[in-house]
Amino acid sequence: MSRNIVTSFTSLVVLAPMLALSQGTPPRPVPPEPQSNQNRPQPSPQTQSPATVTPQTSHPDVPSSTIIDPNQQTLHQTPRIMGVLPNFTAVDSNTQLPRLSTHEKFVVAMHDSVDYSSFLLVAGLAGRGLYSNTIPSLGSGAAGFGRYYWREFTDQVSGTFFTEAIFPTFTHEDPRYYTFGKNGFFKRATYAITRTVITKNDLGTNEFNLSELGGNASEAALSNLYYPSSERGFSNTAKNFATQTVITAAANVLKEFWPDIRKNIFRMKNE
């Protein structure tokens, strides 16, 4: 994820303020209908297992989740935003998940990198770079598109693995985004933005988000190996790091309000 992605996220994040008017009240639970079994043959007694929470599908191989407060509304995430933006690290609101093992962190990063939506996003970014001639030395036409594409793809994959797998393994941090889902638009937006510098660790407590910031810095530094000389150097690396950090904050806002957007604006039902 790199220099051109800002436009893609910004165009989507503008939907978030609409939620100040569109957030509905939590639905009231519907009481179960009484069953009349007096005149019906009774089935043989069966041992019922305790009620369990259906695991969310925000990322592959998700462990069993638990609801924190049964009286609080749960906002459900989807694996992709609008079908084209990977959203596998987003966790439903009011939900607690077990810690991820090192293997699971790498599985999440891999899935986030090679999902079809990731390829579509990279293709869009490469096309925009080609159209606007962002880096003239990369050329034009099909060959130019290919040069933009593999660099954008490398940006995305390296950034994803640095922030979701490699750094979280060493820092023992949780790379997932836990949806806040309560206390109004501004508190939720503030929470989302601050997740760039605050995250949960494997023990479930908050700490400085070294994985995100260190991962973004590593991705920016690595890009010096494969971008033209005009895009290298300390100044461009610092700019790339700052841009990626802003993108992360904007993406978190979009993740936070995506359940509201899909429900109250697009009228989509939970998957």
Side-chain angles (χ1 to χ4, degrees):
M1 289 179 266
S2 67
R3 299 153 177 78
N4 298 318
I5 195 172
V6 124
T7 302
S8 300
F9 273 118
T10 303
S11 62
L12 293 173
V13 172
V14 295
L15 292 171
M18 299 168 62
L19 297 169
L21 298 177
S22 65
Q23 293 184 61
T25 56
R28 296 181 179 180
V30 179
E33 295 182 359
Q35 298 181 356
S36 177
N37 297 323
Q38 294 180 356
N39 299 324
R40 298 180 182 177
Q42 299 294 326
S44 57
Q46 298 179 354
T47 303
Q48 297 183 350
S49 58
T52 57
V53 179
T54 302
Q56 67 172 82
T57 58
S58 59
H59 55 74
D61 303 326
V62 63
S64 298
S65 59
T66 57
I67 297 299
I68 298 174
D69 183 356
N71 298 317
Q72 181 182 321
Q73 181 189 22
T74 299
L75 301 180
H76 298 283
Q77 294 283 355
T78 59
R80 303 168 191 86
I81 296 176
M82 299 183 184
V84 295
L85 293 177
N87 192 38
F88 299 101
T89 57
V91 178
D92 296 346
S93 69
N94 192 33
T95 300
Q96 182 62 47
L97 295 176
R99 66 180 293 273
L100 291 174
S101 66
T102 297
H103 172 74
E104 288 169 333
K105 291 175 182 178
F106 276 87
V107 169
V108 170
M110 175 62 72
H111 194 77
D112 217 1
S113 299
V114 301
D115 182 73
Y116 79 85
S117 57
S118 299
F119 291 102
L120 292 177
L121 178 59
V122 170
L125 297 174
R128 180 184 177 276
L130 181 67
Y131 177 79
S132 59
N133 197 27
T134 304
I135 307 176
S137 60
L138 295 185
S140 59
F145 177 82
R147 296 186 189 101
Y148 278 102
Y149 189 93
W150 76 259
R151 286 173 171 83
E152 292 286 359
F153 183 76
T154 304
D155 283 346
Q156 175 164 298
V157 172
S158 64
T160 298
F161 271 88
F162 277 132
T163 58
E164 296 180 8
I166 298 174
F167 270 84
T169 295
F170 289 106
T171 61
H172 301 288
E173 292 176 342
D174 192 334
R176 295 170 291 194
Y177 177 82
Y178 285 83
T179 308
F180 194 52
K182 60 183 180 180
N183 295 341
F185 175 81
F186 291 104
K187 287 187 177 180
R188 291 176 64 186
T190 300
Y191 167 86
I193 293 171
T194 57
R195 293 313 94 181
T196 57
V197 294
I198 302 173
T199 191
K200 290 181 180 292
N201 57 30
D202 289 341
L203 299 177
T205 58
N206 291 333
E207 67 179 37
F208 181 72
N209 196 347
L210 183 61
S211 295
E212 185 64 48
L213 298 179
N216 290 343
S218 297
E219 182 268 325
L222 184 65
S223 67
N224 285 284
L225 297 178
Y226 51 85
Y227 272 92
S229 57
S230 60
E231 300 295 316
R232 301 174 188 172
F234 178 80
S235 177
N236 286 322
T237 301
K239 184 185 299 183
N240 192 12
F241 166 74
T243 299
Q244 184 58 44
T245 303
V246 171
I247 291 170
T248 300
N252 286 345
V253 172
L254 184 58
K255 290 178 181 180
E256 176 67 32
F257 290 106
W258 170 236
D260 305 85
I261 293 173
R262 64 186 299 270
K263 176 183 177 182
N264 300 323
I265 297 179
F266 297 134
R267 305 297 180 184
M268 297 178 180
K269 296 182 179 180
N270 291 327
E271 296 182 349

